[in-house]
Amino acid sequence: MAIKKVIEHPAQVLSTPCAEVTEINDDLLTLLDDLYDTMVEYDGVGIAAPQINVGLRVAIVELGEERDILEMINPTVIETDGAEVDIEGCLSFPGLYGEVERPSYVKIEACDREGRVYEVEAGGFDARAILHEIDHLDGVLFDAKIKRIVTAEELEELYAEEEEE
């Protein structure tokens, strides 16, 4: 387990679709652990393998208030529904925040670290985080989906309003 350097845009690995994982082995388990350690160090809620310069379809996301870790190996989107616009940021775009429209519901299929296939459904912020990370695996970056850039001042105001509530 190690903290890796987060690769920043415009690195080619970020816009290149990732290869499917064909074998679950010690290297893959180490990758999952490294992703977790790096995500925590950089204060993210999700991270995908290309963000630490690994071109494999592997990502993790913290879900729910308990911030349970969802490990996704070879995830595929089965279903989406609804739409909502909210503010997103990305570890590979430090200081850039913007309003992005995404489905408000997602159902995915993926493998866990034991190679078991599972399905998970998520809504709201969790759906947004899952879809953001799967986009990374497809070489799709969030800056291409930004409808409006949000300034640092606007972010500070939003956080201040949330703290008052």
Side-chain angles (χ1 to χ4, degrees):
M1 296 189 299
I3 296 166
K4 302 293 185 176
K5 180 182 185 310
V6 171
I7 303 299
E8 294 181 7
H9 181 266
Q12 185 66 38
V13 68
L14 294 174
S15 57
T16 303
C18 294
E20 293 279 325
V21 172
T22 57
E23 178 184 3
I24 295 186
N25 55 30
D26 289 343
D27 289 342
L28 184 69
L29 300 179
T30 298
L31 172 61
L32 285 165
D33 293 339
D34 290 350
L35 284 168
Y36 177 78
D37 291 345
T38 304
M39 179 186 71
V40 170
E41 176 68 20
Y42 283 82
D43 198 26
V45 295
I47 190 168
Q51 292 181 277
I52 60 170
N53 207 27
V54 177
L56 291 174
R57 290 190 65 80
V58 178
I60 63 172
V61 175
E62 286 185 334
L63 294 180
E65 289 183 23
E66 298 79 32
R67 307 318 302 162
D68 294 324
I69 301 301
L70 177 68
E71 296 179 333
M72 301 181 289
I73 301 167
N74 295 333
T76 56
V77 175
I78 297 171
E79 181 183 347
T80 61
D81 193 25
E84 61 186 23
V85 176
D86 206 346
I87 298 170
E88 287 187 24
C90 180
L91 297 176
S92 294
F93 289 83
L96 178 63
Y97 299 90
E99 292 179 346
V100 175
E101 183 175 333
R102 292 203 187 266
S104 54
Y105 164 85
V106 67
K107 181 178 184 180
I108 67 158
E109 180 179 276
C111 288
D112 66 16
R113 65 172 48 225
E114 278 81 42
R116 294 181 298 238
V117 176
Y118 68 88
E119 290 183 357
V120 69
E121 298 177 74
F125 181 81
D126 290 342
R128 175 173 299 280
I130 289 169
L131 290 166
H132 179 111
E133 299 312 329
I134 291 175
D135 273 356
H136 271 297
L137 304 180
D138 294 332
V140 176
L141 302 177
F142 100 113
D143 67 323
K145 295 186 172 196
I146 292 176
K147 294 183 169 297
R148 184 180 75 84
I149 291 176
V150 176
T151 66
E153 293 79 20
E154 287 176 287
L155 268 181
E156 287 177 23
E157 288 175 23
L158 285 171
Y159 289 139
E161 288 173 12
E162 287 177 4
E163 286 180 12
E164 290 175 7
E165 293 177 4

